[in-house]
Amino acid sequence: MVLRLYNTLTKSKEDFAPLDPKNVRMYVCGPTVYDYAHIGNARPVIVFDVLYRLLRQIYGEAHVTYVRNITDVDDKINARAAEEGRSIRDLTDQTTRQFQSDVAALGSLPPNHEPRATEYITKMITMIETLIASGHAYAAEGHALYDVSSKPDYGKLSRRSIDEMMAGARVEVAPYKKNPMDFVLWKPSTPDLPGWDSPWGRGRPGWHIECSAMSGALLGETFDIHGGGIDLQFPHHENEIAQSEGAHHGHPFVKVWMHNGFLQVEGQKMSKSLGNFFTIADLLKDWPGEVLRFNMLRTHYRQPLDWTIRSLKESWNILERWYGVAEPIATHRLSDDFLAALCDDLNTPQAFAELHKANEMELAGGLGMLGFSTVQEKIATKNAVDTHAVLAAIAARNAARKVKDFKESDRIRDELLSKGVVLKDGPEGTTWEVKR
Ligand code: AMP
Ligand code: ZN
């Protein structure tokens, strides 16, 4: 079956042909770790998890390398740590752990590599030196800046005019810049800010160079797929291309660029001031991770997604119905239809429609479409265990564990056990089965 993916670079759906089928390589921009991840941040995690699982299915588990970074050096982190009077490392460590447990609860596999930017500072400095030596960058007043005029195809991903790019990047006009579009690779740090020694003085990297350095170090000069939210297309991804191609003799950086659409809440941009801001951790208190994941994937990843309580309830109901009627039958035709939908640019809504037609949950579980669905759950339903109640109890137990109320979490586990339901905690969250 041919996998077809929409490539933002060519603005078309293309047949996917990996550079090396023995090592299919994908990089996705990860979170900046200064606060709880919100449900919008969960979208790229879930979408590219489905792609990761699909690639592993097609090319074999050992032949896919997935890198998702942790941005642990950033001005927002510095500001938050100062505000809370805690160390940067403490803030970034705790936020990283929270993020990892949140996305595991959404049924996402850990990537093969989860590099932290602070571990790649030397790579970043070397890359900037190469850019300066090859005429793509210059040093000025403790900064290193990328010279946009040195790359004639700058803007090829977002296909914007210079004027639009200037507006989109909210470019800072600074006396040390040759051109207002030039962007920061390295900037000076005051003594109270994190900094590393460099040829341009003590300082810290710009955000864009972090991803170029980490992807280059772990995946090589050219790799197959680069993903992230649509908001990152410009300037972040445009600048990653300029840096990586500039530092690698113009060799192409990425074959396929993929961007997920934005998520809104109840028809509005999610924001704290509107009171419609949901962290993943908040939602997991009320909804099983599986419901959140399913709700996310019912919309095609490139479409805008309106996250509503109504759609969440609907998602929960659909899942329950499916578990109630699913039969363990697998025919080749069915698998083909399901996979064909996914291979058509990750058409998850279509894949679910195929699933619905055929009542075939096992395959979905295998691909992590539903993340948690197991044959046991179907059997459990047959044994008249109330799936809804079990999922609710698991959610309550997760909430208790989050606040370290282990007495309560043990009580819930034991209560389920007394009804014959055994819980298993694993890297993909909690699964359950019925004791026979
Ligand atoms: P950030 O930590 O803001 O850099 O975001 C991490 C990832 O989440 C990026 O890939 C963003 O594009 C993505 N993202 C942030 N907000 C949303 C949203 N509301 N909808 C979809 N994706 C988002
Ligand atoms: Zn990035």
Side-chain angles (χ1 to χ4, degrees):
M1 199 163 310
V2 182
L3 171 61
R4 288 173 64 76
L5 298 172
Y6 184 87
N7 187 351
T8 317
L9 194 62
T10 57
K11 301 241 181 304
S12 62
K13 238 192 253 183
E14 296 170 352
D15 288 358
F16 177 68
L19 293 155
D20 174 6
K22 292 259 173 282
N23 186 17
V24 183
R25 287 159 289 159
M26 170 162 85
Y27 184 95
V28 174
C29 295
T32 304
V33 283
Y34 65 101
D35 205 345
Y36 285 88
H38 56 67
I39 190 63
N41 301 135
R43 196 171 189 196
V45 174
I46 293 176
V47 163
F48 291 105
D49 180 68
V50 170
L51 179 56
Y52 178 42
R53 288 170 186 264
L54 183 60
L55 292 170
R56 283 158 52 109
Q57 174 95 6
I58 299 172
Y59 297 97
E61 285 189 15
H63 303 298
V64 184
T65 309
Y66 175 23
V67 180
R68 187 184 61 219
N69 72 292
I70 299 283
T71 296
D72 64 348
V73 45
D74 184 275
D75 290 350
K76 289 191 284 281
I77 298 175
N78 303 338
R80 181 61 60 91
E83 235 169 78
E84 295 184 357
R86 59 201 287 208
S87 78
I88 285 174
R89 186 72 200 200
D90 183 48
L91 173 66
T92 58
D93 277 354
Q94 199 222 329
T95 313
T96 302
R97 278 197 303 274
Q98 178 72 45
F99 173 77
Q100 287 165 335
S101 92
D102 285 348
V103 301
L106 297 175
S108 300
L109 295 174
N112 301 90
H113 302 276
E114 214 167 9
R116 293 177 70 121
T118 47
E119 287 161 8
Y120 287 78
I121 302 286
T122 313
K123 286 263 173 238
M124 295 173 207
I125 292 175
T126 313
M127 197 168 204
I128 298 170
E129 285 180 314
T130 309
L131 286 170
I132 292 177
S134 58
H136 285 295
Y138 56 95
E141 295 181 30
H143 293 75
L145 294 143
Y146 192 95
D147 180 353
V148 168
S149 71
S150 74
K151 186 103 170 50
D153 63 358
Y154 183 75
K156 66 182 169 187
L157 178 67
S158 49
R159 300 195 187 179
R160 296 176 188 211
S161 69
I162 291 282
D163 282 350
E164 282 169 330
M165 284 195 277
M166 291 208 11
R170 272 176 248 112
V171 291
E172 200 191 334
V173 182
Y176 48 80
K177 283 187 181 179
K178 286 190 193 163
N179 177 323
M181 286 300 294
D182 294 350
F183 58 88
V184 166
L185 301 167
W186 190 263
K187 57 188 170 187
S189 282
T190 50
D192 57 316
L193 288 173
W196 291 263
D197 289 330
S198 81
W200 318 286
R202 184 178 173 277
R204 58 197 196 280
W207 171 37
H208 315 304
I209 195 74
E210 298 178 12
C211 283
S212 281
M214 287 183 274
S215 61
L218 293 163
L219 298 176
E221 288 186 3
T222 306
F223 56 92
D224 298 292
I225 300 170
H226 192 314
I230 188 84
D231 57 319
L232 300 188
Q233 207 183 107
F234 183 81
H236 184 53
H237 290 163
E238 201 73 72
N239 293 352
E240 279 189 44
I241 297 176
Q243 295 163 158
S244 295
E245 295 187 350
H248 298 143
H249 314 283
H251 297 161
F253 177 36
V254 167
K255 276 186 79 172
V256 184
W257 281 93
M258 293 178 68
H259 294 97
N260 63 271
F262 240 49
L263 174 152
Q264 291 200 319
V265 172
E266 307 285 351
Q268 281 183 304
K269 187 174 170 11
M270 187 164 49
S271 87
K272 287 191 177 149
S273 58
L274 288 174
N276 65 353
F277 187 92
F278 292 105
T279 66
I280 302 171
D282 280 341
L283 287 164
L284 282 169
K285 286 178 197 150
D286 296 328
W287 307 90
E290 180 173 17
V291 170
L292 302 178
R293 183 179 179 95
F294 179 53
N295 196 52
M296 193 72 86
L297 293 174
R298 282 171 63 204
T299 303
H300 186 259
Y301 78 93
R302 282 195 282 123
Q303 298 298 320
L305 190 159
D306 192 19
W307 187 268
T308 64
I309 295 292
R310 200 169 146 243
S311 69
L312 276 170
K313 284 186 181 155
E314 213 173 78
S315 294
W316 195 330
N317 285 335
I318 296 172
L319 278 183
E320 257 182 29
R321 262 204 319 274
W322 281 359
Y323 284 134
V325 296
E327 292 289 336
I329 41 154
T331 67
H332 284 298
R333 201 194 62 74
L334 166 70
S335 309
D336 283 353
D337 289 345
F338 179 80
L339 275 176
L342 287 183
C343 284
D344 180 16
D345 193 32
L346 303 186
N347 194 340
T348 50
Q350 182 61 34
F352 286 133
E354 298 296 342
L355 211 59
H356 181 67
K357 260 195 256 164
N359 286 337
E360 202 344 294
M361 302 295 276
E362 202 171 340
L363 186 65
L367 269 169
M369 291 291 290
L370 299 170
F372 312 77
S373 346
T374 62
V375 183
Q376 282 91 337
E377 280 168 322
K378 284 185 283 181
I379 296 166
T381 316
K382 294 244 151 67
N383 285 356
V385 169
D386 182 349
T387 308
H388 190 119
V390 172
L391 292 176
I394 291 175
R397 177 168 170 268
N398 286 339
R401 289 166 75 200
K402 277 229 165 81
V403 297
K404 300 208 170 15
D405 185 351
F406 297 116
K407 213 170 130 207
E408 173 65 4
S409 68
D410 287 350
R411 189 194 64 73
I412 296 173
R413 192 198 54 210
D414 293 345
E415 191 183 308
L416 287 173
L417 194 60
S418 73
K419 293 177 185 154
V421 175
V422 184
L423 298 188
K424 268 197 206 145
D425 297 316
E428 294 189 61
T430 304
T431 55
W432 60 283
E433 60 188 42
V434 176
K435 206 169 53 181
R436 328 214 110 234

